[in-house]
Amino acid sequence: MNRAQHPVHPPLSELIALESAASGLSFLANQPLSSVLAGPHGSRLRGRGLDFAELRRYVAGDDLRRLDLRASLRYGKPFVRSYTEERDRPAMIVVDQRMSMYFGSVRAFKSAVAARLAAIAAWIAYRGGDRVGGLVFDDGGVKAFKPLRSRDRIRAFLAAVASANANLSAERPDAPAEQGLNRALRGALLNAPHDCLVCVISDFAGADDDTLRILRLLAAHNDVLGMLVFDPMAQQLPRSGRLVVTQGELQVEVAVGQRREREPLASFFGDRLRRVADVLHRSRVPLLSINTAEEELPQLRRELGKQATAAATPRQRGRPA
């Protein structure tokens, strides 16, 4: 792990410094074939739209698919329609800092990983020429930032992310997970009515049928991308040792080496991860899966079709995925 990365509470300076990590990354549709964003399916990102520029005479080399048949028949000569790419589009980065994110069994907490992913996503959009805004949500509510083409706006957004992250602690009680998630997604609907890139970074705890409905509404008129942050313990519990599970001030120590304790926990974590993946699949939202065991940037490059390597270092503390 990069020594500069804080495993639990990344400071604002760390998030701002991640601008260089966005170099060479893009959320546009022209991705490598190995990318989760590539392909002809409707669930993939469309990228920026095209604005009509002019109707002009055909010249050798023009794309024949842009022939305007009506104009060509009217004037008796081939005419093509030319377009220019939209200069920018609004990008909304929706980042989860609820208590469900305050857990990490290796390397970093989910909340810290989500904060760094939010920073990288914001810088990717900014360096791609887009306006950037976002929503930061925790168990107390949602804070929204209107998209602007401004470094100051990104800094303000990242400051809110760092502040929400710093407020997380094991002493804070959880709130109903579905309320926080769906409230944030409804906020995204209000702030991204159409033609936006909406990047949702969360463990999607509490995802339900209402989540599915809102995601479909968002994806109907926007490009929506999900970044699922999960802890490896959600896929496989350790076979020995003791795990301290916390719920606010309540703590329970579980001997995961005992089969009667280990199997129900493994089933609970695995089923929850599968339910989240199913909701996102049914909503036709492209899904990038990011675990807490590896550094964020190599994983993001892999998911976007780049080649990278990553290593994990052991760390265990906090509350369950």
Side-chain angles (χ1 to χ4, degrees), residues 203-225:
D203 64 355
F204 291 89
D208 57 15
D209 288 340
D210 199 27
T211 310
L212 174 62
R213 181 187 64 81
I214 301 170
L215 283 173
R216 283 176 171 170
L217 288 173
L218 265 175
H221 301 289
N222 300 281
D223 286 332
V224 182
L225 174 65

Side-chain angles (χ1 to χ4, degrees), residues 58-214:
Y58 171 84
V59 296
D62 281 341
D63 189 342
L64 293 177
R65 290 174 297 182
R66 293 186 176 176
L67 275 175
D68 188 308
L69 296 180
R70 290 185 177 180
S72 299
L73 290 173
R74 184 182 305 119
Y75 297 109
K77 296 178 181 179
F79 276 77
V80 295
R81 299 173 68 88
S82 64
Y83 297 86
T84 57
E85 188 177 47
E86 292 175 344
R87 288 188 176 183
D88 63 15
R89 63 174 171 178
M92 294 294 298
I93 313 300
V94 183
V95 57
D96 188 349
Q97 291 293 299
R98 294 174 296 167
M99 283 302 296
S100 68
M101 300 287 287
Y102 194 66
F103 173 80
S105 66
V106 286
R107 196 186 74 85
F109 277 34
K110 292 188 292 181
S111 52
V113 170
R116 283 191 281 270
L117 288 173
I120 296 172
W123 289 122
I124 289 174
Y126 179 80
R127 290 168 71 98
D130 292 333
R131 288 171 282 153
V132 181
L135 291 94
V136 184
F137 70 102
D138 57 19
D139 294 309
V142 181
K143 189 169 185 178
F145 295 82
K146 181 180 178 180
L148 292 176
R149 176 75 181 147
S150 163
R151 286 181 179 274
D152 288 340
R153 176 47 49 95
I154 295 179
R155 290 190 181 96
F157 168 65
L158 295 182
V161 174
S163 176
N165 178 271
N167 287 332
L168 293 171
S169 74
E171 285 70 40
R172 289 182 58 183
D174 289 342
E178 66 278 359
Q179 291 183 16
L181 176 62
N182 293 336
R183 180 172 56 209
L185 293 177
R186 282 191 288 268
L189 266 176
L190 292 174
N191 288 275
H194 60 83
D195 299 326
C196 295
L197 168 67
V198 181
C199 180
V200 185
I201 305 168
S202 175
D203 64 355
F204 291 89
D208 57 15
D209 288 340
D210 199 27
T211 310
L212 174 62
R213 181 187 64 81
I214 301 170

